[in-house]
Amino acid sequence: MKGIVSKSTGSWYIVIVNNNESYRCRVRGKLRIKGLKTTNPIAVGDEVLVSVENESQKLGIIEELLPRRNYIIRKAIKRASHAHIIAANIDLALLVVTEVHPKTSLGFIDRFLVTAESFRIPQALVFNKRDLLNEEHLYIEKQKIQIYKKLNVRCIETSALNRAGIGDLKNLLEGQTTLISGHSGVGKSSLINLISTDIDQKTNEISDFANKGVHTTTNAEMFRLNDHSFIIDTPGIKELGLIDMKRQEISDYFPEMREISHGCKFHNCLHLNEPGCTVKIALEEGQIAESRYHNYVSMLEGRDNRR
Ligand code: GDP
Ligand code: ZN
């Protein structure tokens, strides 16, 4: 049977087969995984072939890992050669952000988008808690949406409180496997609860303040919305920003710089102060948003001591 891994503890995997039956599976001992050296051979979102070990107890064995369309990894911090796969086979990387309570920084947003772009996964932003915004906040949010829409990032505004934009969110997720992320407290669980009756996520009713410093699990988990729509929740997504990237390649993951940079005088231009830099010209002409360029430079600097 073909199935999708919805949860992994490292030794046990929950696999959804026939679209809605779950089996608790272990991996066939001789299963060999080619390619990528990873700390976890099988990840949430992986498509696998399973055989039934015990039907009444819903126990199975993973016999084969099917090829991945894509995956998101983070490097194990201590052992650079081993990567940890956060999730696989993702159609859309969705970040839930808020203008207030808490405020999501543009730096965090851009880091997320750049990382998703580096794995060639389309991106979307959900601006939640719209009900809490005053005139000024609304104006700022609109400006941000303009920046990101130009970059082909799908943007929607929602309120889990008064259910505004929930239809748009459903449309966005329909037929896709969506990796959902965002700072704690932005309303991920509240939104997920609104779009699915199957899923009952615990919302953080305790204040963020009380939660600070509490260690949350970093394992991703997949939820089924309907036969062909899934959500992958990634509580430890902050680590998404830790992937290794060569300084030279960062601008490739800023879609507005990627094309333009071919015109730079120097082939290895980092778009800082080099002469004949077409990226800097585009910035001065307003074709590249200042915030995006600023975040590009901080990503570049943050990676000085890496490859
Ligand atoms: P998560 O940590 O991202 O899963 O966030 P939760 O869904 O647990 O929400 C955190 C808090 O924000 C809870 O108290 C929610 O009731 C509240 N919340 C979520 N969405 C909204 C919203 O759209 N508007 C308002 N005013 N509060 C919200
Ligand atoms: Zn340049």
Side-chain angles (χ1 to χ4, degrees):
M1 290 185 297
K2 194 173 148 182
I4 304 176
V5 176
S6 69
K7 193 174 177 169
S8 152
T9 66
S11 45
W12 283 95
Y13 301 87
I14 306 293
V15 179
I16 307 177
V17 298
N18 298 332
N19 286 328
N20 206 13
E21 271 189 280
S22 293
Y23 285 80
R24 215 161 81 96
C25 298
R26 52 197 179 81
V27 179
R28 171 70 72 200
K30 64 173 167 48
L31 183 81
R32 275 215 304 265
I33 316 272
K34 284 166 253 154
L36 202 68
K37 258 194 178 175
T38 58
T39 52
N40 56 332
I42 293 178
V44 168
D46 266 332
E47 292 180 348
V48 291
L49 296 182
V50 296
S51 61
V52 176
E53 195 178 27
N54 184 320
E55 181 57 44
S56 59
Q57 289 179 41
K58 295 281 176 214
L59 295 178
I61 297 173
I62 295 177
E63 303 282 357
E64 198 176 328
L65 171 67
L66 299 177
R68 293 180 174 124
R69 290 199 302 280
N70 60 35
Y71 54 82
I72 282 193
I73 57 169
R74 73 175 157 79
K75 287 260 167 160
I77 297 151
K78 292 271 158 53
R79 304 175 58 195
S81 63
H82 281 68
H84 180 89
I85 304 183
I86 297 172
N89 300 323
I90 303 152
D91 298 314
L92 182 71
L94 184 153
L95 186 69
V96 180
V97 303
T98 43
E99 194 55 40
V100 294
H101 302 297
K103 184 182 171 78
T104 307
S105 74
L106 287 174
F108 185 77
I109 294 176
D110 287 338
R111 222 165 238 277
F112 177 88
L113 298 177
V114 162
T115 306
E117 187 73 18
S118 76
F119 293 113
R120 297 185 179 79
I121 299 170
Q123 305 117 40
L125 294 173
V126 171
F127 294 80
N128 191 36
K129 303 202 183 183
R130 200 171 192 279
D131 58 284
L132 295 180
L133 305 188
N134 63 28
E135 288 289 309
E136 195 189 336
H137 295 139
L138 285 168
Y139 176 75
I140 294 168
E141 190 162 286
K142 277 276 175 287
Q143 286 190 315
K144 290 181 182 173
I145 288 173
Q146 273 197 348
I147 291 177
Y148 292 112
K149 273 194 169 163
K150 262 211 244 165
L151 305 173
N152 283 325
V153 176
R154 300 192 50 191
C155 296
I156 59 173
E157 293 175 284
T158 58
S159 165
L161 188 82
N162 62 27
R163 296 180 174 236
I166 300 305
D168 295 339
L169 182 59
K170 275 187 179 163
N171 289 338
L172 189 65
L173 303 179
E174 180 57 30
Q176 314 245 49
T177 295
T178 302
L179 179 128
I180 186 165
S181 182
H183 281 313
S184 168
V186 294
K188 293 179 296 296
S189 319
S190 308
L191 289 169
I192 292 172
N193 285 340
L194 282 178
I195 52 180
S196 170
T197 46
D198 277 20
I199 308 166
D200 192 15
Q201 285 260 301
K202 285 188 193 73
T203 51
N204 283 322
E205 287 305 340
I206 315 153
S207 79
D208 286 336
F209 181 72
N211 269 333
K212 283 234 166 80
V214 172
H215 182 78
T216 49
T217 169
T218 56
N219 281 340
E221 196 168 342
M222 180 185 260
F223 303 97
R224 177 182 174 278
L225 288 181
N226 57 43
D227 280 357
H228 36 266
S229 311
F230 298 88
I231 284 180
I232 299 177
D233 190 17
T234 53
I237 205 65
K238 268 194 178 171
E239 297 171 76
L240 217 159
L242 281 180
I243 70 141
D244 230 358
M245 227 179 254
K246 296 189 187 95
R247 301 181 82 203
Q248 216 66 59
E249 79 184 302
I250 296 177
S251 64
D252 291 345
Y253 308 130
F254 281 77
E256 71 273 56
M257 295 187 194
R258 192 163 44 213
E259 292 295 311
I260 285 176
S261 66
H262 293 312
C264 291
K265 184 174 169 193
F266 296 112
H267 163 69
N268 56 355
C269 187
L270 287 174
H271 325 303
L272 294 170
N273 294 304
E274 296 93 334
C277 173
T278 46
V279 168
K280 283 301 273 282
I281 293 168
L283 173 71
E284 276 148 31
E285 287 174 350
Q287 292 165 45
I288 293 174
E290 277 178 30
S291 65
R292 292 277 294 171
Y293 181 76
H294 174 85
N295 291 329
Y296 162 72
V297 174
S298 29
M299 280 180 226
L300 207 59
E301 286 168 350
R303 290 175 197 287
D304 256 341
N305 48 9
R306 295 178 187 232
R307 280 188 297 136

